[in-house]
Amino acid sequence: MAAPDHTVEAFTWHFLHEINFGQGVDLYRASANDKYLALARTVRHYLAARWLVNLRHQHETQSKSVAYLSAEFLLGPQLENNLLAAGLEDIAAQSLANLGIDIEELRGVEVEPGLGNGGLGRLAACFIDSLATLNVPSVGYGIRYEYGIFRQTFVDGKQVEKPDNWLAMGSPWEIAHPENAVEVTFGGHVEDEGEGRRWVPAWSVLGVPYNYMVPGYLNGRVNTLRLWSAEATKAFDLKIFNAGDYAQAVRAQTFAENISKVLYPEDSTPQGKELRLQQQYFFVACSLRDFIETVLPEDYDLHRLPERIVFQLNDTHPVIAVPELMRLLVDERGWDWDEAWAVTQQVFAYTCHTLLPEALEVWSVELLGRLLPRHLEIIYRINEEFLEKVREAYPGDELRVRRMSIVAEQPERAIRMAHLATVAGHKVNGVAELHSQLLADKVLHDFAELWPEKFTNVTNGVTPRRFVRLANPSLSGLITEAIGDGWVTDLEQLRRLEPLAEDAEFRRRFREVKALNKRELAETLWVRDGLELAGDAMVDAMVKRLHEYKRQSLKLLHIVSLYEGISSGRVPLESVTPRTFVFGAKAAPGYVRAKETIELINAVGRTINEDPALEGRLKVVFPPNYNVTLAERLIPAADLSEQISLAGKEASGTGNMKFALNGALTIGTDDGANVEIRQLVGDDNFFLFGMTEPEAAALQSKGYEPGEYYESDPQLKAALDLIASGAFTEGDRGGAAGSIFSSLTERDRFMALADFRSYMDAQARVEEAYADHEAWSRSAVLNVARSGFFSSDRSIRDYLDRIWGADPVDHS
Ligand code: 26W
């Protein structure tokens, strides 16, 4: 079935067909949602034809593909991206305009699938976009949460979470295939069977696949994202119902569906909840069975599995896939252990996304043994065989054996999922050079010493389609006019803009673009949240999850110190650069300190925004519910990008890359990918401050006394005392103000006070630099020109070269 013609007429025919026969309405009576769903399905028609061709070709050629296993995919709004990838933007706009419909309006109808928390989930979305654009046959496997990341609202400045019922209005980009449902079992016990073992599970659920198209950019490739939804094997027990116990009759159903009901909103501290482990095993078991039994030919010899697939583990969340594959090969296919282990090691690779010890998942043996008794046995065997090798390599070094063991004894017997992933994966990578170095030197040092060749780095990237071409059409136009549009799929071509940084006219037009984006952001924030943005002020943006290591508190100290300086008359108002501080941040619902920080930011913001003495020179704007849709509006309007985490804590960061590519200058520490951004854009075009990782580590081990910094720096003391005084919290010295004051002056785990002075000095350099618009925009243009490296296309090419080893690029 050929794709519809790329003409306004054909598009219109399909759209009206969907309005009448898809939505069952006449156009004149169609709701905005009807029109949006009809438009989405029309675009789907164009992509589906290619999808089928790809799937058929892949089946025929038996080509190797990449499976990206991730518990999160933060996809963002789909309509625009699919219109762009299919080359239908103008045709669609014209077709709808002919029918008196403004496509911009329909864009606003879409609810983005918030199936992720932050960096890790968004990276997965950028990666599947690049895999398709690079023509790599690949499939993303994940969970179709019925409720995504919570909707954040502010009540009196406090975060209040609302359920994200994103499917309520229908989801036109997915196609369900209940006929391919997979049964997944849990619980029960294990018994001997011949010389093998047999798992006798206690209960099961059905995994129903929902397929999403992942189109490459104008290359005719459409890959698949397969998200699993849990359903009851026995939906409804009529006998129990007829016996009158209605609730019991549907209990099995609700119990099963709970598994894919909601995304866990934590992004750093696992709660060790049983349902979370059920979610992880559920989507992994569905995905392995799906690939082996539906993608591979019937009688495929799994000894050759590594020729057909590599499973990339997106952090430890899917690592239960390792004992699952061993179980499928040994228990179900009767292989002996070693041949199964050899194949398992070849097909798995592990990407670590964190440095925080508390973010490394460990599952108690009690829970794992109860939910997945056979998998626990297999993990024990993997560990025994592994520790034997450790003892061979380091005879008598039992301390090392205990350190490296996959099974932790203290504080309780538990499975270290990062150790399991490192032992099983044929490659382990960090997500920025500094991060990968710290993984090898510290977090996984013993393993890097034992297997140095196993450890590598792949610095993160972002897709230029969504985060430049779509998010910043005016900048894209300016770039394409100057160097053509090859940059969209070859971002290093941006380098050709370098000479234009010296061109005053280009710089003027560049500033015009930034000003236009600011006006559009102001419009968006006004309509979305009733928030006012001063059109001509510097936009200083800090948008990321709320976490103490990211140090939103340090940003707050800068703002409070500026305010204290002005209110105390120490700083003449006219000397302060008009600046709008824009925040975007969700806090994990159980993370009290993070929620207090949000509350205090809003309290300080209200005080500053309502203080007439400031004449609007300083403003704090904190739109609720920061998500991909808002990021696309906000990032192109920013002048200054805040990347101020304590060195050695942010694995990479990807927001930092998006800001640099959209012509914002970075103020940041030498942490994560900031280091590589600074190296590429040049020291003169980056506001570096703060301790390096070794300096921070040295201060930590020497013994860090935040109180000393509080006492010795009058500006810092004044700012902290102002917070503690209750000046921003209607005189309330307790609550958020009190606890943040004491946590910073007594513990300050992420050393915000130690970096305060250096940060303030860097901010003074920012003010000075911003006063020279020509110099600032020259730097901004150089940031764009020199950030091509941070394309997720380059990251995927690195994975192909360094980890996946093969060149599964499909040249069809
Ligand atoms: C609750 C368990 C948990 C623990 C860690 C959930 C999610 C995580 C993620 C690994 C946290 C995360 O998103 N890490 C971020 O990953 C990005 C993509 O590589 C990096 O750019 C960020 O630096 C890192 O914080």
Side-chain angles (χ1 to χ4, degrees):
M1 172 84 183
D5 295 345
H6 257 65
T7 62
V8 171
E9 295 66 40
F11 192 94
T12 307
W13 184 89
H14 280 272
F15 176 71
L16 290 173
H17 190 272
E18 280 299 334
I19 285 282
N20 299 150
F21 307 128
Q23 292 307 111
V25 294
D26 258 327
L27 184 59
Y28 75 88
R29 285 188 49 246
S31 66
N33 198 48
D34 287 324
K35 292 170 191 163
Y36 165 70
L37 294 174
L39 173 58
R41 284 204 295 272
T42 304
V43 176
R44 229 175 68 183
H45 293 341
Y46 281 81
L47 293 172
R50 303 154 185 223
W51 199 13
L52 303 175
V53 171
N54 289 162
L55 290 170
R56 208 171 22 255
H57 185 263
Q58 197 175 318
H59 198 67
E60 283 149 9
T61 59
Q62 303 276 314
S63 56
K64 176 168 180 170
S65 54
V66 173
Y68 202 79
L69 291 175
S70 180
E72 303 182 20
F73 286 95
L74 196 45
L75 297 169
Q78 297 294 291
L79 177 63
E80 268 204 302
N81 186 61
N82 290 342
L83 282 169
L84 178 75
L88 287 169
E89 286 179 298
D90 303 341
I91 289 173
Q94 189 54 55
S95 161
L96 295 189
N98 296 353
L99 298 168
I101 302 169
D102 173 3
I103 197 167
E104 291 309 311
E105 269 163 49
L106 299 188
R107 202 149 49 99
V109 173
E110 180 173 7
V111 176
E112 70 170 72
L115 307 180
N117 278 283
L120 170 138
R122 182 57 236 177
L123 187 84
C126 284
F127 277 7
I128 57 174
D129 175 84
S130 287
L131 282 161
T133 299
L134 290 176
N135 247 322
V136 179
S138 67
V139 55
Y141 280 121
I143 302 172
R144 179 183 178 268
Y145 302 102
E146 205 177 320
Y147 292 85
I149 186 70
F150 61 83
R151 303 240 174 116
Q152 178 192 50
T153 61
F154 291 145
V155 179
D156 303 334
K158 293 187 175 70
Q159 171 180 296
V160 173
E161 303 85 20
K162 296 252 187 295
D164 171 41
N165 191 2
W166 70 284
L167 293 164
M169 291 301 159
S171 169
W173 302 108
E174 64 182 17
I175 299 172
H177 280 284
E179 76 284 7
N180 294 340
V182 171
E183 183 171 16
V184 179
T185 55
F186 293 91
H189 66 277
V190 186
E191 54 194 37
D192 287 334
E193 186 178 64
E195 50 241 76
R197 299 285 281 163
R198 190 167 72 85
W199 180 19
V200 185
W203 53 282
S204 70
V205 301
L206 276 184
V208 174
Y210 285 73
N211 294 337
Y212 291 70
M213 288 181 282
V214 183
Y217 176 74
L218 297 179
N219 67 349
R221 168 160 289 277
V222 177
N223 281 336
T224 303
L225 170 62
R226 187 158 291 162
L227 300 181
W228 299 93
S229 177
E231 289 184 14
T233 34
K234 198 152 51 47
F236 175 62
D237 195 314
L238 197 56
K239 234 181 13 290
I240 297 178
F241 180 84
N242 293 340
D245 184 348
Y246 308 125
Q248 177 54 30
V250 293
R251 185 157 294 120
Q253 188 173 5
T254 39
F255 185 77
E257 283 162 11
N258 276 345
I259 289 183
S260 58
K261 185 66 72 181
V262 64
L263 166 77
Y264 270 86
E266 281 88 33
D267 82 330
S268 64
T269 321
Q271 306 298 307
K273 295 277 190 319
E274 173 164 350
L275 183 58
R276 168 92 172 172
L277 181 57
Q278 289 176 6
Q279 291 184 336
Q280 294 180 350
Y281 178 63
F282 167 72
F283 92 93
V284 154
C286 290
S287 306
L288 287 184
R289 184 138 345 245
D290 175 70
F291 187 82
I292 290 170
E293 293 183 5
T294 63
V295 178
L296 289 179
E298 194 79 35
D299 53 0
Y300 188 83
D301 172 7
L302 293 181
H303 291 88
R304 299 176 45 220
L305 191 60
E307 294 165 29
R308 288 301 307 273
I309 192 80
V310 56
F311 291 105
Q312 191 65 33
L313 301 172
N314 200 20
D315 215 276
T316 58
H317 313 152
V319 76
I320 197 74
V322 169
E324 174 65 3
L325 182 59
M326 288 298 286
R327 186 184 71 83
L328 296 177
L329 299 176
V330 173
D331 295 4
E332 295 195 0
R333 291 165 184 255
W335 290 23
D336 74 38
W337 182 270
D338 294 345
E339 60 180 327
W341 185 239
V343 166
T344 297
Q345 283 197 296
Q346 285 174 67
V347 295
F348 285 111
Y350 160 51
T351 302
C352 174
H353 295 266
T354 188
L355 282 165
L356 300 179
E358 69 264 30
L360 297 174
E361 291 187 301
V362 289
W363 289 108
S364 74
V365 161
E366 183 282 320
L367 171 54
L368 205 54
R370 185 159 40 79
L371 200 64
L372 301 167
R374 179 56 181 145
H375 295 76
L376 182 60
E377 286 185 0
I378 291 170
I379 291 170
Y380 280 158
R381 171 96 185 255
I382 292 172
N383 194 40
E384 275 156 41
E385 308 239 339
F386 162 58
L387 294 184
E388 231 168 82
K389 291 202 182 68
V390 175
R391 288 195 173 91
E392 270 161 35
Y394 306 96
D397 190 343
E398 280 311 305
L399 207 56
R400 182 188 294 266
V401 166
R402 256 207 304 285
R403 267 200 324 266
M404 297 180 80
S405 177
I406 296 170
V407 183
E409 304 300 340
Q410 303 306 335
E412 58 164 346
R413 263 172 81 70
I415 304 299
R416 297 165 169 152
M417 302 311 263
H419 290 202
L420 175 59
T422 304
V423 170
H426 68 271
K427 283 285 181 184
V428 174
N429 75 287
V431 289
E433 279 172 13
L434 174 61
H435 177 229
S436 299
Q437 200 54 53
L438 291 171
L439 279 184
D441 297 351
K442 295 189 174 178
V443 184
L444 297 169
H445 176 65
D446 293 324
F447 296 90
E449 204 168 37
L450 183 61
W451 301 311
E453 75 299 338
K454 187 180 268 199
F455 286 76
T456 184
N457 172 60
V458 177
T459 297
N460 281 167
V462 300
T463 171
R465 271 73 66 187
R466 181 178 291 274
F467 290 108
V468 183
R469 177 61 185 75
L470 279 180
N472 202 339
S474 50
L475 177 61
S476 302
L478 184 63
I479 295 171
T480 298
E481 191 186 313
I483 63 170
D485 66 357
W487 59 272
V488 179
T489 52
D490 178 12
L491 208 55
E492 287 284 5
Q493 290 191 24
L494 291 177
R495 181 71 66 171
R496 292 161 50 199
L497 292 172
E498 260 185 330
L500 291 165
E502 314 311 326
D503 176 315
E505 173 54 16
F506 186 85
R507 289 198 302 265
R508 186 192 63 72
R509 297 185 58 198
F510 179 89
R511 286 194 297 275
E512 218 170 55
V513 161
K514 188 60 74 174
L516 170 66
N517 290 333
K518 283 183 186 178
R519 287 196 295 278
E520 287 187 356
L521 176 62
E523 172 63 23
T524 300
L525 291 180
W526 179 249
V527 172
R528 183 183 186 273
D529 310 299
L531 295 171
E532 274 187 276
L533 195 71
D536 59 351
M538 178 205 297
V539 172
D540 174 345
M542 184 164 192
V543 291
K544 52 190 73 226
R545 286 294 297 252
L546 208 297
H547 197 290
E548 289 166 281
Y549 84 80
K550 295 172 185 279
R551 301 202 295 191
Q552 280 90 354
S553 57
L554 182 56
K555 180 75 239 167
L556 198 56
L557 286 174
H558 172 226
I559 297 170
V560 170
S561 181
L562 268 185
Y563 180 66
E564 186 276 330
I566 296 165
S567 329
S568 66
R570 193 164 43 77
V571 177
L573 186 60
E574 53 290 342
S575 74
V576 175
T577 306
R579 203 191 288 216
T580 299
F581 301 100
V582 180
F583 286 93
K586 287 180 178 178
Y591 192 174
V592 175
R593 179 62 36 68
K595 294 181 96 167
E596 289 171 339
T597 307
I598 288 178
E599 186 186 341
L600 188 57
I601 292 171
N602 280 324
V604 170
R606 195 180 41 247
T607 306
I608 286 180
N609 296 345
E610 291 166 3
D611 186 334
L614 295 180
E615 297 159 17
R617 256 180 191 279
L618 292 183
K619 265 183 88 58
V620 176
V621 170
F622 194 163
N625 204 41
Y626 177 66
N627 58 15
V628 178
T629 306
L630 182 56
E632 291 178 18
R633 285 279 80 52
L634 205 152
I635 291 170
D639 299 299
L640 189 66
S641 156
E642 298 276 350
Q643 309 299 334
I644 62 175
S645 53
L646 174 62
K649 300 301 177 189
E650 188 71 84
S652 162
T654 44
N656 46 8
M657 300 166 182
K658 295 162 189 169
F659 280 106
L661 281 166
N662 282 280
L665 300 195
T666 304
I667 181 164
T669 52
D670 254 357
D671 194 19
N674 293 359
V675 176
E676 291 156 79
I677 293 173
R678 182 170 64 79
Q679 284 163 350
L680 281 165
V681 303
D683 290 354
D684 310 348
N685 308 303
F686 187 104
F687 298 99
L688 176 66
F689 78 96
M691 293 174 282
T692 60
E693 189 277 329
E695 289 164 345
L699 179 55
Q700 191 74 49
S701 48
K702 180 170 75 58
Y704 170 56
E705 292 301 334
E708 288 168 11
Y709 294 82
Y710 166 66
E711 297 301 344
S712 61
D713 186 321
Q715 206 180 350
L716 173 58
K717 187 170 188 321
L720 283 162
D721 289 350
L722 194 57
I723 290 172
S725 72
F728 302 108
T729 47
E730 282 120 20
D732 174 6
R733 295 164 168 271
S739 84
I740 286 175
F741 173 80
S742 42
S743 85
L744 285 177
T745 52
E746 288 151 26
R747 188 145 184 281
D748 190 17
R749 181 180 164 206
F750 298 103
M751 299 200 252
L753 303 200
D755 271 345
F756 175 79
R757 178 47 44 206
S758 175
Y759 183 50
M760 293 301 283
D761 297 348
Q763 285 292 357
R765 294 201 306 274
V766 166
E767 298 234 347
E768 197 192 325
Y770 193 73
D772 178 346
H773 285 339
E774 287 303 337
W776 184 277
S777 41
R778 179 179 173 282
S779 277
V781 170
L782 290 176
N783 264 268
V784 175
R786 297 170 177 173
S787 295
F789 173 83
F790 300 107
S791 167
S792 47
D793 299 350
R794 185 270 317 148
S795 303
I796 293 299
R797 271 196 290 275
D798 288 350
Y799 276 95
L800 286 168
D801 299 347
R802 295 174 199 159
I803 297 178
W804 300 332
D807 174 12
V809 171
D810 176 355
H811 297 300
S812 68

